[in-house]
Amino acid sequence: MGCRKRAPVTDLLRVVVRNGALVPDPRRRLPGRGASMHPTPECLRAAERRRAFVRALRSSTPVEAGPLRDHVLGAPSTAPAESGPGAGDNGRTTTAPTQTDPHPAGPHVESRTSSDEQAVKSPR
């Protein structure tokens, strides 16, 4: 999507829009329209510059790339700059709550397709 080069789907990262934010979907399981891109900073920058996400995902509103940027770059895009003993909560440090779900995009939901369902015969 960003660099517009072709690649096998296994080499690409699927991206979907959730609550106005671009969310990476490495397991390719989230519902909705998805777009694929190389998981590299160069491809992400090119897609943002070309506004490719809004077009590819057919979004009528601008989308926030924060969660996707964190995933691709490997670091949070904005971090609080507190340091020293007088910063924050009286010098005490706090930790962020741990995430209980093993997948950052949410719980896996099994869906059944028509090929998964057993044939049912009804009397006529």
Side-chain angles (χ1 to χ4, degrees), residues 12 19 21 25 27 52-53 69 82 86 98 106:
L12 301 174
N19 300 324
D25 185 17
R27 292 174 45 194
F53 294 115
R69 194 176 296 119
E82 292 183 12
T98 58

Side-chain angles (χ1 to χ4, degrees), residues 82-94:
E82 292 183 12
S83 63
D89 190 23
N90 293 331
R92 291 182 282 171
T93 58
T94 59

Side-chain angles (χ1 to χ4, degrees), residues 45-99:
R45 281 192 287 274
E48 287 178 319
R49 186 182 67 244
R50 293 178 42 242
R51 294 185 291 260
F53 294 115
V54 174
R55 284 194 312 271
L57 297 169
R58 296 184 183 170
S59 177
S60 59
T61 61
V63 291
E64 171 61 38
L68 176 62
R69 194 176 296 119
D70 293 346
H71 180 82
V72 171
L73 300 177
S77 57
T78 58
E82 292 183 12
S83 63
D89 190 23
N90 293 331
R92 291 182 282 171
T93 58
T94 59
T95 58
T98 58
Q99 187 174 2

